[in-house]
Structure formats: C-alpha cells, structure tokens
Amino acid sequence: MSLPSYISSENVGPWHIFLHQVDQVAPLLEKSLWPWVETLRRPKRSLIVDVPIRLENGEVAHFEGYRVHHNTSRGPGKGGIRYHQDVTLSEVMALAGWMTIKNAVVNVPYGGAKGGIRVDPRTLSLSELERLTRRFTSEIGSMIGPDKDIPAPDMNTNAQVMAWMMDTYSMGEGRTVTGVVTGKPLSLGGSLGRPDATGRGVFVTAREAAKRLAIPIAGARVVVQGFGNVGEASARIFAEAGAKVVAVQDVSATVYNPAGLDVAALRRFLQENKTLKGAPGCSEISREEFWSVPCEFLVPAALESQINRHNAGQVQARIVVEGANGPTTPEAEAILAERGVVVVPDVLANAGGVTVSYFEWVQDFSSFFWSEDEINQRLERIMAEAFAAIWQLAEDRKLSLRTAAFVIACSRVLEARAIRGLYP
Ligand code: NAD
C-alpha cells in the first residue's frame, strides 16, 4: 500500500491519520454519498476551555480542556473524556472522528464526540481532581446533555469522575440527570457489565477472528499493552477462556512469563504497589523487547501510535486486536499486512464499551435495569454481528478489516447526512 508523504513520515498527529483513513475509504462508497464526504473531514464543533482550579497550596492552576462534536448526523454526540498530559485538540478531534465511525459500526444511535484535559492527573490530589472535573463540566456545560452529547470514561477517568460530572450537570439543571454521562457507578444509574465491556468486546472480536483463521483460544499466547480498564479486562477474559497471557506492559514496567502470568495476582499487585515493577511470578523485560514476544494475539490497550514503523516488523502475533484507539500507524499497518498479520481495528474491537454505554443510557431513560447476563448476551450478539458483516465485506471486496469497517460506518453516517439535507 502506498501512503501519501504527509502520512509516511509518521510525524503527523492522529487527526491526519483519521483524514487519511477517510480519504482511503471515500472512493469505495456509493457515488451518491461522495458530495457529503467532506463533512467527515470537518468536526461539527470544537470547544477549547480554560479550567482554573485552586490547588491545595492555595495557588490557582490553569489547565486546557476540549470537547469536540465530530458528527451528530445519526444522534447525540457520544465519546469519552481523557485526562493526560499530552492531550491536544488534534488528538481529541481524531478520537471524536473515530467515535463517529465506531458508533456507526455497532449501529448505536449516536454521533461521535470526545473530550479531554491536558493534565497529568497523578500530580493532583483527589479533591483537586474533583474541582478540575467539576469546573471542566461546567465549562463544557453548553455542549453536553442526555439528548445532546453524553461523555463517558477514557484514559485516566473512571466511574468516580463520571459521578462528579453527573452531579455538577444536575446541579445546574436543578434536577438529577443520570443520562448525561455513562460509565457511572451502579448506585447512580450505572450499568452492570460496563467496567468490563470494552475488554469483553476485545475478546469477542478476537475470538471471532481466531475462529476464521482456525486459531484455538485455549493455550493461545496473548500479549497486552496497557493494564487499565481495557487492558486488564481483556487480559482477564482471555485468561478465563483458557488463553495464556505471557506479557503485560504498562507505563511502569513490562513483565513476562512464557508459562503465563497470573492476571488476578498482577492486578492485586498493581493495586497495592501502583507499579508492575517487582511483580512476583514473572521477569521484567525491556520496553522494546515487548514487541517481539512470541504470541498469537497482541492487544495494544494504552495510547495511540504504539505500533509504528520501528516495531511493526518485530510483531510476532497473528492477530492484533486494537483495544486502544489509533494504536497502529498507517505505515505500521502496511508492514503488518505484508507480513500477513490480521488487524482487528479499534472502531470494531473496542466498541464494546460504547455499546454497553448505550445500554446504560437506555436503562437510565426507562429506569428499568437489566441483569448482567442479559447485558453480556446483547453485547456479545452486537459485537459478533458487527464482526461478521465487516469480515464478509472485507472478503468480498478484498479490503482490510479497517477499510471494511469504515465503508460500513461511513455509509451509515453519510446516508443519514444526505437524507437530512442542509440547514437552512
Ligand atoms: P486507563 O487509564 O484505564 O489505562 C491506561 C493504561 O495504559 C494504564 O495501564 C497505563 O499504565 C498504560 N499506559 C499509559 N501510557 C503508557 C505507555 N507509554 N506505555 C505503556 N503503557 C502505558 O485507560 P483505558 O480506559 O483502559 O483506555 C486505554 C485505551 O483504550 C485508550 O486508547 C482509550 O481511548 C481506549 N478505549 C477505552 C475505552 C473504555 O471504555 N475505557 C473504550 C474504548 C477505547
């Protein structure tokens, strides 16, 4: 696959990667949709906000925050909130764009949105984090709402952060509005199954790909980057299904055991020690060695652009399942394709989270809550059906799974856009 020069340098931000993906898919869409493709190349609205908070030492600190609605043709905006020191508007735009695609892949009635604050949350106390979250929620208050735009957790945000967001928004409205965010605690209208949903979806799509490639899950070796919400749940669910998780990397260390790591023990160790360094029952390897660990599945579940032209040639996996958003650069993807490695793309593989977020939103509206079994069964069905449609299209038209997912999603979004027409 030849890549345009602006992409092949790998010096571009994720937004350019998103544009490249849209450009690739545009010629494959129905001709009647071509006039609307430009809408995907332009976020509908982007907001940059100043978030000032008083620190414990009495000083005032300022942080930059963002909320982007990429596209709302199919429904309200939906997408997570990220706290990270490297967050930029360009990154949030790309993440919002991928949400538009992802929501259409699993056919939930949402557009795409995303938000973030440029902050290293590890440097803040719990009450500073609460003040930051509340002020940010208030600053983006005009953009969010249960039928407008519904945030959820992403990197370094969790159920507690969602509870503060929901409370802040509710105070402004003068009533309790549980449906304004998803990924909430159970006691506030959260959904059973939500914490594991993204990891469960990663596993379901991995299993579906493995079935088609005749790779048994039992005994398969799995390597996971990121041991947070997505990485830990993916590792645990793979292990429960009989796979061997042989290496895990997070921000603190890379741990390895060719006989299989004890995922539950690793989780406990991380909770107690806040680092994977020194975890029992495994050895530490270098960050670079991680990429060449022999395995059947590689699950990147941390940040963008982790699989790139420098390490794609070393990847031993037969299937890469993208738990993270945008973890594979286009250059790396071309290298993996040449080497016969199948990539289950982020917009499909990690869509389990937003799918159960949709269930949570529906349950909040109806004030009727489902059992965990029901949730997992519905999630399983949606993920397996989305996978089957994408696999079939990829086979029929000789496309990568990512391109096939984009064809299905962009068609859904642009059909909605075309039939709505232009206002005024
Ligand atoms: P998280 O904050 O719970 O965990 C992030 C993990 O990545 C941590 O283990 C952290 O140590 C690790 N990490 C950070 N920097 C790293 C580095 N340089 N090298 C190796 N590891 C590093 O975040 P999360 O919610 O699990 O999100 C992870 C990815 O999954 C993100 O790309 C996010 O957008 C995506 N995602 C999350 C959800 C969700 O429901 N939480 C849904 C879809 C996609």
Side-chain angles (χ1 to χ4, degrees):
M1 181 179 72
S2 74
L3 299 168
S5 56
Y6 73 88
I7 282 293
S8 52
S9 66
E10 280 195 356
N11 292 327
V12 296
W15 175 246
H16 277 89
I17 293 178
F18 177 76
L19 290 181
H20 168 68
Q21 292 167 341
V22 170
D23 289 346
Q24 269 206 316
V25 87
L28 303 169
L29 301 174
E30 293 278 335
K31 266 195 175 149
S32 60
L33 300 177
W34 288 1
W36 297 100
V37 169
E38 191 62 20
T39 50
L40 295 173
R41 308 183 91 257
R42 294 166 187 270
K44 180 177 172 64
R45 53 176 80 93
S46 309
L47 182 67
I48 304 177
V49 294
D50 173 38
V51 190
I53 59 160
R54 195 167 296 283
L55 301 176
E56 307 296 5
N57 65 10
E59 284 174 14
V60 174
H62 292 257
F63 299 93
E64 193 160 288
Y66 315 93
R67 187 72 187 168
V68 172
H69 292 174
H70 173 262
N71 190 291
T72 55
S73 298
R74 301 177 67 251
K78 181 98 190 78
I81 303 275
R82 176 174 294 194
Y83 290 175
H84 195 274
Q85 60 276 15
D86 297 332
V87 165
T88 59
L89 179 61
S90 155
E91 182 188 38
V92 175
M93 282 159 56
L95 291 165
W98 285 323
M99 285 310 300
T100 300
I101 303 301
K102 190 183 306 180
N103 292 332
V105 159
V106 284
N107 216 356
V108 291
Y110 294 131
K114 202 84 183 190
I117 306 181
R118 197 171 168 81
V119 60
D120 182 352
R122 291 171 302 184
T123 63
L124 299 182
S125 70
L126 193 66
S127 53
E128 288 167 342
L129 203 61
E130 176 173 356
R131 288 198 285 282
L132 181 83
T133 302
R134 289 188 180 278
R135 181 61 187 253
F136 174 65
T137 307
S138 161
E139 293 295 339
I140 64 166
S142 59
M143 276 177 91
I144 61 173
D147 45 14
K148 238 183 186 177
D149 172 17
I150 307 107
D154 191 73
M155 278 194 82
N156 296 325
T157 56
N158 55 22
Q160 174 63 78
V161 171
M162 293 306 113
W164 290 327
M165 289 192 77
M166 177 270 191
D167 184 69
T168 306
Y169 182 85
S170 297
M171 289 300 114
E173 292 291 297
R175 67 196 165 93
T176 296
V177 188
T178 53
V180 66
V181 289
T182 58
K184 297 181 294 294
L186 272 184
S187 53
L188 279 184
S191 177
L192 291 166
R194 177 63 184 87
D196 283 357
T198 309
R200 191 169 297 284
V202 164
F203 174 74
V204 171
T205 56
R207 187 199 62 206
E208 292 301 304
K211 251 190 230 165
R212 286 153 175 94
L213 298 171
I215 301 171
I217 295 287
R221 294 161 301 176
V222 186
V223 160
V224 183
Q225 188 199 34
F227 201 56
N229 177 285
V230 182
E232 188 276 331
S234 304
R236 177 164 34 85
I237 295 168
F238 259 110
E240 280 165 9
K244 257 192 325 193
V245 179
V246 292
V248 167
Q249 177 178 85
D250 81 346
V251 73
S252 63
T254 309
V255 293
Y256 175 60
N257 182 346
L261 297 158
D262 180 341
V263 178
L266 209 56
R267 178 190 186 165
R268 275 195 306 277
F269 183 87
L270 181 65
Q271 269 166 355
E272 283 161 18
N273 300 280
K274 308 284 172 240
T275 175
L276 289 180
K277 235 178 218 321
C282 49
S283 51
E284 191 173 341
I285 58 172
S286 73
R287 303 197 77 76
E288 293 71 35
E289 279 173 294
F290 172 80
W291 300 105
S292 50
V293 169
C295 61
E296 279 69 45
F297 297 95
L298 165 62
V299 181
L303 293 165
E304 291 99 57
S305 302
Q306 296 298 298
I307 308 178
N308 49 50
R309 69 192 153 116
H310 302 295
N311 57 22
Q314 299 163 33
V315 168
Q316 302 297 309
R318 295 193 52 201
I319 306 179
V320 172
V321 197
E322 294 186 334
N325 287 304
T328 313
T329 66
E331 263 194 309
E333 189 158 11
I335 296 169
L336 293 176
E338 254 167 45
R339 300 181 54 230
V341 181
V342 170
V343 177
V344 183
D346 46 9
V347 290
L348 169 64
N350 70 36
V354 76
T355 303
V356 176
S357 273
Y358 167 59
F359 298 162
E360 178 176 334
W361 184 72
V362 169
Q363 291 171 83
D364 285 342
F365 271 118
S366 58
S367 298
F368 178 75
F369 290 86
W370 312 346
S371 72
E372 189 157 7
D373 266 359
E374 191 172 355
I375 285 157
N376 288 344
Q377 271 172 33
R378 285 180 193 253
L379 170 65
E380 167 99 23
R381 200 181 67 228
I382 289 180
M383 297 299 294
E385 283 177 5
F387 183 94
I390 288 167
W391 184 273
Q392 191 61 51
L393 186 70
E395 293 257 287
D396 292 349
R397 295 180 66 178
K398 305 277 167 278
L399 305 172
S400 71
L401 292 177
R402 188 184 315 280
T403 305
F406 266 69
V407 168
I408 289 175
C410 291
S411 301
R412 286 180 179 153
V413 174
L414 297 181
E415 270 165 30
R417 188 72 200 80
I419 205 156
R420 282 178 68 154
L422 268 190
Y423 170 86

